[in-house]
């Protein structure tokens, strides 16, 4: 608790006093008109989307056979989502696959949350949330005129009775999200390192225009498009896939590593450890583009993103990837002691880890003209 108090106190002094940025569960959110927001010093700016809704806020439908509540009738649903996916997890995997291939145009087909967001780091312990307001709205309520459900089933042609599919998952009001943070960062020193991460459901990191990390429950690079039971789409094949990555049997990830830490028993059990992406070499003072993409499929999230220099005997604590000195705080919605979230608070990290400064726009233009 003392550490959390000091973290919160530190954030109050480090953030610019003229800005109305408030730390939320997922990131920092501008408490005011988004059009007037200016990125706070030392933070990557971002956007958050709901891949379960169209730009107007209407929920998508998914294909498959669905059962009525309280009756023996079933309905054959017709998918109207942009990727033609049979279920919500398929929609997520298909979208992540496009983002991994640097096709961000798919995001224009989804609802964009009306909040200006930014982050100095990505370090999120287990959190449970029922609506995105708990993670995004500084007022903790629906104050940004987010579209509301009519109360009927939003994923099967608006039929009031059809509420669940054959797997028992309800997609009607799932607060599903994809968050994209990007900018340019300046290396604090010359080094060779990896991004280490774990995520629920997925995380992608593109550094210097190169995809260097993919981790989580969903692996978009092997998703074929058949939905929740598809290889690479969630829990069904995740354990075996992480094992293959650890053994170097996945061609696209032969230079990845899986590392177990004493402080990450949950990740060790679910993911065989923390995933270390492709090695990266940087030069002190040089700026590099970075894009961090996070995705979650409803009601809980587990995000890590850290760096670790690749040197013998320097395995822990990991160095937190950060762009200013703000320390992580406990996100709203965390439920200590809840058996469903009986997991570690995250790997130990070095609180004095180097700061990757946000490169100024003029610096980015200068480098581009070289």
């Amino acid at each position: 608790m003392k550490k959390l108090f000091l973290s919160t106190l530190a954030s109050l002094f480090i953030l610019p006093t003229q800005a109305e940025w408030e730390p939320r569960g997922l990131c920092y959110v501008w408490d005011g008109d988004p059009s007037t927001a200016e990125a706070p010093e030392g933070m990557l700016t971002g956007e958050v989307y709901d891949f379960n809704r169209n730009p107007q806020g209407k929920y998508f439908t998914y294909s498959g056979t669905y059962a009525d509540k309280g009756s023996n009738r079933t309905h054959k649903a017709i998918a109207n989502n942009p990727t033609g996916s049979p279920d919500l997890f398929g929609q997520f995997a298909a979208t992540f696959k496009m983002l991994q291939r640097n096709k961000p145009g798919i995001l224009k087909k989804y609802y964009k949350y009306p909040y200006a967001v930014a982050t100095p780091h990505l370090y999120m312990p287990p959190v449970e949330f029922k609506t995105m307001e708990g993670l995004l709205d500084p007022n903790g309520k629906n104050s940004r005129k987010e579209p509301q459900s009519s109360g009927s089933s939003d994923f099967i042609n608006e039929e009031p009775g059809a509420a669940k599919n054959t797997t028992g998952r309800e997609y009607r009001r799932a607060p599903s999200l994809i968050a994209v943070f990007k900018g340019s960062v300046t290396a604090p020193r010359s080094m060779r390192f990896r991004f280490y991460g774990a995520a629920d459901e997925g995380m992608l990191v593109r550094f210097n225009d190169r995809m260097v990390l993919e981790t989580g429950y969903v692996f978009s690079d092997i998703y074929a498009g058949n939905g929740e039971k598809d290889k690479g789409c969630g829990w069904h094949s995740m354990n075996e896939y992480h094992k293959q990555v650890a053994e170097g049997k996945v061609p696209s990830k032969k230079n990845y590593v899986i590392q177990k830490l004493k402080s990450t028993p949950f990740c060790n059990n679910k993911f065989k450890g923390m995933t270390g992406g492709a090695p990266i070499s940087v030069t002190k003072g040089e700026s590099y583009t970075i894009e961090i993409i996070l995705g979650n499929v409803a009601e809980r999230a587990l995000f890590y993103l850290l760096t670790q220099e690749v040197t013998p005997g320097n395995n822990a604590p990991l160095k937190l990837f950060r762009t200013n000195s703000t320390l992580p705080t406990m996100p709203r919605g965390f439920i200590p002691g809840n058996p469903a979230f009986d997991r570690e608070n995250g790997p130990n990290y070095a609180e004095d880890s180097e700061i990757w400064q946000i490169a100024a726009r003029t610096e980015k233009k200068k480098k581009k003209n070289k």
Side-chain angles (χ1 to χ4, degrees), residues 14 24-25 114:
I14 293 167
R24 309 300 300 151

Side-chain angles (χ1 to χ4, degrees), residues 14-19 21 38-45 118-120 323-326 355-358:
I14 293 167
L15 288 177
T17 56
Q18 71 272 20
W21 289 89
E38 292 184 7
E41 183 178 352
M43 290 198 191
L44 295 170
T45 56
T119 186
T323 55
N324 72 23
S325 299
T326 307
I355 295 175
W356 291 72
Q357 294 183 340
I358 300 295

Side-chain angles (χ1 to χ4, degrees), residues 5 20 110 136 198 266 270:
F5 172 76
E20 298 178 54
Y110 300 138
L136 291 177
F266 175 75
K270 286 290 184 181

Side-chain angles (χ1 to χ4, degrees), residues 24-219:
R24 309 300 300 151
L26 178 66
C27 54
Y28 280 77
V29 182
W30 175 257
D31 185 12
D33 183 352
S35 65
T36 65
E38 292 184 7
E41 183 178 352
M43 290 198 191
L44 295 170
T45 56
E47 297 176 332
V48 183
Y49 298 85
D50 185 346
F51 61 87
N52 195 24
R53 294 189 282 174
N54 68 17
Q56 291 71 45
K58 184 176 177 59
Y59 286 83
F60 294 123
T61 62
Y62 302 90
S63 60
T65 302
Y66 299 78
D68 253 348
K69 277 184 176 179
S71 78
N72 295 322
R73 291 187 306 157
T74 58
H75 299 275
K76 194 72 175 179
I78 300 174
N80 72 354
N81 58 80
T83 64
S85 299
D87 55 54
L88 190 60
F89 273 82
Q91 167 90 331
F92 172 71
T95 301
F96 245 49
K97 191 163 191 169
M98 296 182 76
L99 294 175
Q100 185 189 40
R101 295 178 177 180
N102 206 14
K103 297 180 179 180
I106 185 66
L107 296 176
K108 295 180 180 179
K109 298 182 179 181
Y110 300 138
Y111 175 71
K112 181 180 176 182
Y113 282 95
Y115 306 95
V117 299
T119 186
H121 56 253
L122 286 161
Y123 183 96
M124 190 174 183
V127 61
E128 181 178 40
F129 56 96
K130 296 299 182 184
T131 67
M132 282 303 296
E133 283 72 32
L135 291 179
L136 291 177
D137 193 338
N139 297 315
K141 59 184 180 180
N142 193 12
S143 65
R144 296 291 187 272
K145 298 181 180 179
E146 184 184 345
Q148 295 295 296
S149 168
S150 63
S152 63
S153 171
D154 294 300
F155 68 98
I156 306 179
N157 302 325
E158 301 296 331
E159 293 176 355
K164 290 188 178 181
N165 67 7
T166 51
T167 68
R169 294 187 179 279
E170 184 165 347
Y171 299 144
R172 180 161 53 105
R173 290 287 290 162
S176 307
L177 69 94
I178 287 179
V180 182
F181 298 96
K182 55 187 176 181
S184 289
V185 291
T186 301
R189 62 187 171 99
S190 297
M191 59 180 169
R192 186 169 172 80
F193 73 101
R194 303 174 191 266
F195 283 103
Y196 272 86
D200 179 357
E201 253 70 42
M203 177 192 296
L204 301 172
V205 180
R206 183 177 285 108
F207 188 85
N208 207 26
D209 298 323
R210 171 188 167 211
M211 187 61 66
V212 295
L213 178 65
E214 180 189 20
T215 187
Y217 287 99
V218 175
F219 279 85

Side-chain angles (χ1 to χ4, degrees), residues 150-303:
S150 63
S152 63
S153 171
D154 294 300
F155 68 98
I156 306 179
N157 302 325
E158 301 296 331
E159 293 176 355
K164 290 188 178 181
N165 67 7
T166 51
T167 68
R169 294 187 179 279
E170 184 165 347
Y171 299 144
R172 180 161 53 105
R173 290 287 290 162
S176 307
L177 69 94
I178 287 179
V180 182
F181 298 96
K182 55 187 176 181
S184 289
V185 291
T186 301
R189 62 187 171 99
S190 297
M191 59 180 169
R192 186 169 172 80
F193 73 101
R194 303 174 191 266
F195 283 103
Y196 272 86
D200 179 357
E201 253 70 42
M203 177 192 296
L204 301 172
V205 180
R206 183 177 285 108
F207 188 85
N208 207 26
D209 298 323
R210 171 188 167 211
M211 187 61 66
V212 295
L213 178 65
E214 180 189 20
T215 187
Y217 287 99
V218 175
F219 279 85
S220 53
D221 62 347
I222 59 172
Y223 176 63
N226 298 322
E228 188 180 62
K229 300 292 184 182
D230 189 282
K231 184 180 180 181
C233 191
W235 292 266
H236 313 291
S237 60
M238 176 268 299
N239 235 328
E240 177 59 28
Y241 188 71
H242 276 281
K243 182 175 182 291
Q244 291 180 11
V245 171
E247 295 173 352
K249 295 179 180 178
V250 179
S252 62
K253 296 180 173 63
K254 278 192 173 296
N255 53 3
Y256 275 39
V257 295
I258 305 291
Q259 178 172 294
K260 290 186 176 181
L261 301 173
K262 290 181 179 179
S263 59
T264 60
F266 175 75
C267 288
N268 297 343
N269 178 47
K270 286 290 184 181
F271 307 123
K272 305 299 181 185
M274 298 285 289
T275 300
I280 305 166
S281 294
V282 294
T283 302
K284 181 179 179 179
E286 289 290 317
S287 60
Y288 304 86
T289 58
I290 186 170
E291 181 178 32
I292 303 165
I293 305 172
L294 302 171
N296 184 260
V297 182
E299 296 189 5
R300 59 186 63 181
L302 179 62
F303 298 144

